[in-house]
Structures are given as C-alpha cells and as structure tokens.
Amino acid sequence: MKKVIIIRYAELFLKGKNRGFFEKAFEANIQRALKGIEHELLRQSGRYLVVNFAEEVIDEMIVRLKKVFGIHTFSVAYETDANMDAIFAVAKTVCKQEGSFKVASHRGDKKFPLTSIEISKELGGRLLSVYHNLTVDVHNPSFTVNVDIREGGKALVFSEFIEGANGMPVGTAGKGLLLISGGIDSPVAGYMMAKRGMNVECLHFHSYPYTNMQAKEKVVELATTIASYSCGTKLYTVSVTHIQEEIHKKCRPELMITLLRRFMFRIAERHALHISAQCLITGESLGQVASQTIEGMTSSNSVVEKLPVLRPLVGFDKNEIIDRSVKIGTYETSILPYEDCCTVFLPDFPAIRPKLKDILMEERKLDVEGLIKTAFESMEKIEL
Ligand code: ATP
Ligand code: MG
C-alpha cells in the first residue's frame, strides 16, 4: 500500500490569464521545499500529487510543505487498487473507530462500475459493520473518509486535511527589502509579505563592537526562518556604529533615534534599488513606541525618495504580532536578550513628535553622504 500526498492550492491564483506564471512559481516552490527528498510531483486538474517517496520522510515533508505559500490544504492518502475490497481494506485503517462520519467519493474514472453515491453507500455500510461505535452523519460528520477513483485502476483513500500556509506563491509579487532587527516585529512583517508572494531579502543594521556576535547570530537565525518561507533569502548587514557616535557627539540626544532611523531608511532605499527590490518593508506598528507615531513615520519616510515603504503590521496590536511570531517560529529567537543597535547611545526620553524643522537643523551638523558611504563599506552579504 503506497502513500501519496495530495496538494490543493488556494483556488484563486490559478485562475485567469496568469495561470501559467503562477503555476510555474508554485511548482518551483514545492520542489524547492522538498529539495533533497526523493519524490515526483505530478500536476493534475485542480491539484498536485507528490508520489514515489519513502515512507520515513513523510513527517519531514509535512513540516516543509506547511511553509509553502499557495498551498490551501494537503492530505496524506493511501493509494490502492480501484476495487471495493481493496478500498475497504484501506478505509478501515484510515477510519476512526468511533464518532460520526460520512464517506465522500469522487469518481475520476467514469468506467468504474459504481457511481460515487454507490461507492459511498457501499463503503459506509461496510465500515459500520466492522466498527460498531460509528454513526453516519452526512450533514455534520466529525470526520470524513474520502475515496477518489483515479484513471488507471487506482484509488486514493484519505481522511485528514492538513492546513497549508495559504497566501500566494513566493516569486509572483516582486521583491522587497526587509529592514530586519533582532526584535519580534520585523520577522513577522517579512513573513507577511512573503505570504503575499513577495521575494523578501533582509537588511540589518548593527553597532558592532558595542553589540556582540550573539546579536548577529540571532538575526541570522531569524532571517533563516524567513528564508524557509520565502524560498531562500539574502541577509545584508551594515554597521551604523560610526553614525551613532557622530550623532551622539554632535546632535540633541532626544533626536538620536529619529536621526538614526533616517540614516537607516536612506541606506535601505539605496541598497534596495541596487538589488532591484521594489519596496522597503518594516515591522512598524502605529503608536507602539515613541518612534512609531505618525510623526515619527513621516520623518523617516520623508528621506525615501522612490520606493514605497510597506508596513504590514501597522494596524496590529502587539499581542497579535506575538501570536503570529509564535506561530511562524521566530518568537523564541526574537526574545533572546541581545540588542541589535547600541543602547549605550539611546536617550532616556526620545522625542515623541519630532518636528521636521528640528531634525533638519540637527542633520545639517552631520556629513550625511560621507557617513552613508562609510556604512556601505561595512556591508556583508550572507546567503541563506
Ligand atoms: P522590531 O520588533 O522589529 O525590532 P521594534 O518594535 O523594536 O521593532 P523599532 O525599534 O522602532 O521597533 O523598529 C521599527 C522597525 O525599524 C523595525 O520593525 C525594523 O523594520 C526597523 N529596524 C529597527 N532596528 C533595525 C535594525 N537594527 N536593523 C534593521 N532594521 C531595523
Ligand atoms: Mg526592535
């Protein structure tokens, strides 16, 4: 008795003119997720089948497929000969021994002697005759035994539906550059855009040697998790130590974060354009901290000249973001205590509604272009 995996996609994206484009990306993403595992991927109308894999790798395949955007649900099914005795033998192992159930049948091969209703009736009856604590409920069953008669004399039998990641296939919605910190929010923001089909690359600013190597490792780990959803990613790191020192030396302390933010956004946009990314992505959420007021966002946004800044978490509460980060597997890493940018320079009372006039006045004390140039010289690239 062989097992196969049935993959169902989120219906919408395979409709219309771009079908071929979406399918190609979707298939490539599935293949990428299953890399290193021997298998075959077959396209059928309305779904995909993964076949010819070893029984021992199923758990690993499930873990990996759960991260592929565009998958709506998937099922591990038994493949058997298309005759009622063989189907019944398999259905007995798939079926629970108690509770309410129904049999749902689909006859892909119209040459099969029974209609789908007849298959369901016959199989339901046989199951009831061996499991006496089962009851039939066709309207609201607690589980369903599914039978799928395929062309070529084979049938698939399964009961469980595993929830997929949903969303759109990565690679169908352009490329974005995620400003990734070591915190909880930005990895979730990257996940959200990957879920909508975007290729996400990551940019991280650090204050080495004020911040340590563990802080860097933490970000590498977070970006690795993002890579597992976005079919790989690149992490770029840039030092802003010299910028923080310069601001600390010359500017009003309450504007440190605002000024630093503007440097980050400038560097990020230039780098995004360089790698052909079409937007910046941040983990900002309105009002969450002093720098995330609408005034704070306006101030950092105003140095970005060409690209949109996407803030997928802008309307989320912190606990909603935390829930999501637990679900996607970044939370435990995000709460490790290593700081990403140097806290030595952070003021006790950051400006909550910084005025552009003040910011520009402080910025005039700095060699903005020179500082940016030095920052780019520190750039490192890590392929994940
Ligand atoms: P996070 O949980 O993502 O760290 P936060 O609540 O700490 O966010 P801020 O520190 O105000 O908020 O950062 C807002 C956003 O700015 C982050 O979500 C991230 O996109 C970007 N950002 C902050 N620090 C860095 C950094 N060191 N490197 C790259 N991007 C950063
Ligand atoms: Mg942070």
Side-chain angles (χ1 to χ4, degrees), residues 9-15 18-19 22-23 26 70 167-169:
Y9 39 75
E11 188 82 33
L12 264 181
F13 76 76
L14 284 181
K15 289 194 175 143
N18 287 329
R19 189 184 171 113
F22 282 108
E23 266 178 359
F26 188 51
M168 306 283 276

Side-chain angles (χ1 to χ4, degrees), residues 181-186 261 288 292 318 339-340:
S181 69
I184 293 169
D185 305 338
S186 41
R261 252 313 114 75
Q288 194 188 86
Q292 294 178 23
K318 190 75 189 186
E339 293 299 331
D340 41 29

Side-chain angles (χ1 to χ4, degrees), residues 178-189 203-207 219 238 240 257 260-261 264-265 281-285 288-292 313 318 321 334 340-341:
L178 171 69
L179 282 78
I180 187 170
S181 69
I184 293 169
D185 305 338
S186 41
V188 176
L203 172 62
H204 174 67
F205 299 102
H206 62 83
S207 319
V219 174
V238 168
V240 287
I257 296 173
L260 179 62
R261 252 313 114 75
M264 287 182 177
F265 275 73
I281 305 163
T282 78
E284 288 162 299
S285 152
Q288 194 188 86
V289 292
S291 56
Q292 294 178 23
L313 307 181
K318 190 75 189 186
I321 301 171
S334 288
D340 41 29
C341 275

Side-chain angles (χ1 to χ4, degrees), residues 92-354:
K92 270 194 295 189
T93 64
V94 162
C95 187
K96 291 177 198 154
Q97 303 203 4
E98 56 185 4
S100 62
F101 85 115
K102 74 169 181 183
V103 178
S105 305
H106 173 77
R107 193 173 55 141
D109 179 1
K110 299 296 176 206
K111 289 196 287 285
F112 192 75
L114 304 183
T115 66
S116 50
I117 293 175
E118 287 165 349
I119 298 168
S120 299
K121 255 191 171 155
E122 158 96 22
L123 190 61
R126 289 202 197 189
L127 288 168
L128 286 171
S129 74
V130 289
Y131 298 139
H132 301 293
N133 294 327
L134 281 182
T135 53
V136 174
D137 182 346
V138 289
H139 299 298
N140 196 18
S142 62
F143 68 95
T144 302
V145 174
N146 296 274
V147 180
D148 195 344
I149 310 289
R150 294 177 58 201
E151 308 254 336
K154 293 287 173 193
L156 300 180
V157 183
F158 60 95
S159 176
E160 219 184 329
F161 283 75
I162 303 168
E163 182 71 16
N166 288 295
M168 306 283 276
V170 170
T172 60
K175 177 153 86 171
L177 181 62
L178 171 69
L179 282 78
I180 187 170
S181 69
I184 293 169
D185 305 338
S186 41
V188 176
Y191 165 92
M192 301 276 291
M193 295 322 299
K195 184 169 192 277
R196 296 308 305 156
M198 190 168 259
N199 270 127
V200 175
E201 298 195 3
C202 303
L203 172 62
H204 174 67
F205 299 102
H206 62 83
S207 319
Y208 191 76
Y210 294 102
T211 54
N212 57 25
M213 286 312 282
Q214 285 157 312
K216 184 179 168 185
E217 285 309 312
K218 178 181 173 183
V219 174
V220 170
E221 207 169 312
L222 292 171
T224 304
T225 304
I226 290 176
S228 71
Y229 289 101
S230 70
C231 305
T233 191
K234 297 180 184 76
L235 169 65
Y236 301 90
T237 64
V238 168
S239 171
V240 287
T241 311
H242 62 294
I243 299 177
Q244 283 185 292
E245 284 170 342
E246 195 70 0
I247 298 172
H248 183 63
K249 228 185 289 166
K250 297 186 174 159
C251 305
R252 283 163 46 190
E254 72 273 18
L255 287 177
M256 165 59 86
I257 296 173
T258 309
L259 293 168
L260 179 62
R261 252 313 114 75
R262 285 163 63 89
F263 276 97
M264 287 182 177
F265 275 73
R266 284 185 180 103
I267 293 166
E269 184 183 34
R270 288 184 203 192
H271 186 56
L273 291 168
H274 182 67
I275 62 169
S276 305
Q278 296 146 296
C279 64
L280 303 182
I281 305 163
T282 78
E284 288 162 299
S285 152
L286 186 63
Q288 194 188 86
V289 292
S291 56
Q292 294 178 23
T293 56
I294 189 65
E295 290 83 356
M297 289 185 198
T298 305
S299 138
S300 47
N301 221 77
S302 65
V303 297
V304 182
E305 291 170 356
K306 296 197 174 111
L307 299 179
V309 180
L310 303 187
R311 300 177 171 86
L313 307 181
V314 73
F316 278 47
D317 293 344
K318 190 75 189 186
N319 55 9
E320 292 173 307
I321 301 171
I322 289 174
D323 287 350
R324 185 59 67 99
S325 80
V326 170
K327 229 169 107 186
I328 69 174
T330 51
Y331 182 71
E332 292 299 327
T333 309
S334 288
I335 58 172
L336 294 173
Y338 319 113
E339 293 299 331
D340 41 29
C341 275
C342 180
T343 44
V344 181
F345 298 118
L346 292 189
D348 294 335
F349 300 102
I352 292 175
R353 304 197 190 314

